[in-house]
Amino acid sequence: MSFDVLQDKIRGMKNPTVAGLDARIEYVPEHIRRAAFEEYGAGRKGAAEAVWQFNRELIDALCDIVPAVKPQSAYYENLGWQGMEVLERTIRYAKEKGLFVIADIKRGDIGSTAAAYAEGWLSGTSIEGETFPAFDADCVTLNGYMGSDSIKPFLEAAKEGDKCVFVLVKTSNPGSGELQDIVAGDRLVYQAMGDLNERIARGTEGKYGYTMAGAVTGATYPSDIRALRRRLEHTFFLVPGYGAQGGKAEDVQYAFDKYGHGAIVNSSRGIMCAWQKTGGDGHGFAQAARSAALAMRDDIRQFVTVV
Amino acid sequence: MSFDVLQDKIRGMKNPTVAGLDARIEYVPEHIRRAAFEEYGAGRKGAAEAVWQFNRELIDALCDIVPAVKPQSAYYENLGWQGMEVLERTIRYAKEKGLFVIADIKRGDIGSTAAAYAEGWLSGTSIEGETFPAFDADCVTLNGYMGSDSIKPFLEAAKEGDKCVFVLVKTSNPGSGELQDIVAGDRLVYQAMGDLNERIARGTEGKYGYTMAGAVTGATYPSDIRALRRRLEHTFFLVPGYGAQGGKAEDVQYAFDKYGHGAIVNSSRGIMCAWQKTGGDGHGFAQAARSAALAMRDDIRQFVTVV
């Protein structure tokens, strides 16, 4: 089962972290932007090609030290179809380099529509009897507000390729509590979401004991993570919010089980934009990202030992 | 304010309905598919071009009798970036034909990411100081599970172009109650979502009394719609689930206020796939869609009079 693939990669590197690939054009160093704008024009195509160069060099710099990358779809949709083409290219290249790719898309819709999304992002679309992969990630993030029929088509699609999903449970943003922390009987709404999600995926546990439907649990709410780890013992956690959003290594440690398994921590701007803090002109961005990724790994290793 | 634009269009046609543009390749008549596969190959590009031909003729056949169309992003993402390029083309063409375009994307993310989505779908992205529109719809659907900071960036972007949004409140699918109907004190979760959404948009009411943040309320749960209409008097409703999903005209009437304002009812397969019920070979698909759209309008007119 599918979190086995990710957990094996994490064990291989003793590094339970994932690097976001969420490039706004402003994050791309000037020399890359200039070159792309000169070749493709200072519009969507030029911006998309600049992001591609940036991503490619980041992937090259990170692929032997981090097990996974997480491109956020918003930063590609932002550039229209040219951005989506670069997202496809980025996912393909990251996989070629051995990285596990989590497409951060937070989709969720009625069953027939969820099936279409699942084809596009995981299993491929059938055209005249032949299957054509589209974005073809290893894993996607989902929003389960619409219920189990919005999640199940993704699980079906994921099974075909030993893939997996993460469903939003307790998110890292300031307003996450407005709906998620509402008291509903003897539990909170996000706990109900977590319970529902673990139930939907029951029976899909792999060799590490985790189902194929993981949960997003923000680093910015450490006490909630601790309670969720106890509550959802078969659910793998994706923990955003480390670094730029304020989450610390001592906070995220509670997402892991006693073997240091069952979770992966994300950092996006902290790695991608590390070059902006070096005082350099951006030519050393890949090395800065690598150093930041190693620093994050070592920071988390102070609190978490992956067995 | 922005629902004024849609409400004015609805009043002009006395038709409070929206046609979905959610083409799976199987829905496209054979003569269009054949021609596209011959010219572009039987892969993603050929399928996307077939969908484009289908959409274009549907838009031509519907633009003088329905005020709005609603392309569902899943059916374009499904075909990778080539699908997204056709989605852009479809939105642009529908707007040229005077249609109001609701991009059904159900996005929702942390503030900075929500801002990137809002640029991509509503206000355009800034590159070197110039703004480039991307998908450029008039309106989008959103998922508010993450709270107000996941919605507000869209409202900001929408204000720039007199646009608007719909946030999921009570959805039309069978599993919608699993999270949405959980009892939370003196209300249900979906009511809390609706209350939160109306509060976020307070002060943006237009000449009809509706804020720029509408709500999705499924036709398949008519008693919930009736209660929501009373509860959220400043919220415009998008009502999916009519037709193929089982919702009837007598059910959707409760979404409207006493002037027949404040709501729009969607049908997708019932219009797009009307040709499949004619016994024909698909050459008459546009006429069949037009007849189905007129029948839907007249069906709803039995219960709702738009003043």
Side-chain angles (χ1 to χ4, degrees), chain B residues 97-180:
Chain B
K97 290 286 176 172
L99 288 157
F100 187 89
V101 178
I102 303 166
D104 197 354
I105 59 174
K106 297 188 177 70
R107 303 297 194 259
D109 217 302
I110 65 170
S112 50
T113 303
Y117 273 130
E119 290 164 11
W121 291 94
L122 295 174
S123 63
T125 298
S126 172
I127 301 170
E128 301 288 282
E130 198 183 332
T131 299
F132 291 83
F135 295 102
D136 202 21
D138 295 306
C139 179
V140 292
T141 59
L142 301 177
N143 187 323
Y145 182 76
M146 293 178 70
S148 59
D149 46 343
S150 68
I151 296 171
K152 282 178 184 163
F154 288 94
L155 299 186
E156 289 307 311
K159 275 177 192 160
E160 291 173 30
D162 207 16
K163 298 181 172 187
C164 51
V165 309
F166 286 106
V167 175
L168 298 182
V169 170
K170 174 65 187 169
T171 61
S172 61
N173 58 310
S176 78
E178 291 165 6
L179 192 83
Q180 295 162 30

Side-chain angles (χ1 to χ4, degrees), chain B residues 9-297:
Chain B
K9 281 184 195 278
I10 291 170
R11 290 182 74 192
M13 292 182 181
K14 303 285 184 214
N15 183 8
T17 70
V18 46
L21 294 174
D22 309 352
R24 296 194 77 94
I25 185 67
E26 308 90 84
Y27 298 167
V28 179
E30 176 148 16
H31 67 284
I32 296 178
R33 270 188 281 160
R34 286 287 142 251
F37 291 152
E38 249 168 56
E39 190 166 352
Y40 302 100
R44 284 162 39 184
K45 174 73 174 161
E49 290 293 338
V51 167
W52 160 246
Q53 288 302 327
F54 185 58
N55 284 351
R56 193 176 55 76
E57 291 193 50
L58 285 173
I59 288 167
D60 288 343
L62 297 172
C63 64
D64 64 324
I65 53 164
V66 304
V69 288
K70 182 174 77 62
Q72 163 56 256
S73 186
Y75 296 101
Y76 301 87
E77 294 179 36
N78 192 286
L79 298 172
W81 68 265
Q82 289 94 339
M84 298 309 272
E85 194 270 318
V86 159
L87 176 54
E88 276 194 37
R89 239 191 283 171
T90 297
I91 292 172
R92 200 180 313 122
Y93 187 71
K95 286 169 69 179
E96 280 168 21
K97 290 286 176 172
L99 288 157
F100 187 89
V101 178
I102 303 166
D104 197 354
I105 59 174
K106 297 188 177 70
R107 303 297 194 259
D109 217 302
I110 65 170
S112 50
T113 303
Y117 273 130
E119 290 164 11
W121 291 94
L122 295 174
S123 63
T125 298
S126 172
I127 301 170
E128 301 288 282
E130 198 183 332
T131 299
F132 291 83
F135 295 102
D136 202 21
D138 295 306
C139 179
V140 292
T141 59
L142 301 177
N143 187 323
Y145 182 76
M146 293 178 70
S148 59
D149 46 343
S150 68
I151 296 171
K152 282 178 184 163
F154 288 94
L155 299 186
E156 289 307 311
K159 275 177 192 160
E160 291 173 30
D162 207 16
K163 298 181 172 187
C164 51
V165 309
F166 286 106
V167 175
L168 298 182
V169 170
K170 174 65 187 169
T171 61
S172 61
N173 58 310
S176 78
E178 291 165 6
L179 192 83
Q180 295 162 30
D181 291 356
I182 289 176
V183 177
D186 59 351
R187 55 187 183 170
L188 304 180
V189 166
Y190 78 80
Q191 292 168 330
M193 188 69 241
D195 294 346
L196 174 64
N197 188 47
E198 193 164 275
R199 199 164 63 241
I200 292 168
R202 194 171 288 161
T204 65
E205 291 82 354
K207 65 183 178 184
Y208 296 103
Y210 292 100
T211 70
M212 61 196 298
V216 175
T217 58
T220 43
Y221 301 98
S223 64
D224 295 340
I225 293 187
R226 194 193 283 229
L228 281 170
R229 182 67 291 159
R230 282 192 296 262
R231 187 181 189 98
L232 305 173
E233 54 176 336
H234 301 295
T235 302
F236 200 100
F237 290 168
L238 170 62
V239 186
Y242 171 92
Q245 287 182 58
K248 296 189 175 58
E250 56 209 277
D251 301 331
V252 303
Q253 65 179 309
Y254 304 115
F256 295 86
D257 67 22
K258 61 185 172 184
Y259 305 107
H261 298 166
I264 190 163
V265 182
N266 180 73
S267 171
S268 297
R269 276 165 288 171
I271 294 174
M272 264 189 323
C273 300
W275 70 271
Q276 294 175 336
K277 295 189 173 166
T278 61
D281 64 358
H283 278 85
F285 81 95
Q287 188 53 52
R290 186 177 172 89
S291 300
L294 288 170
M296 178 186 179
R297 179 194 69 182

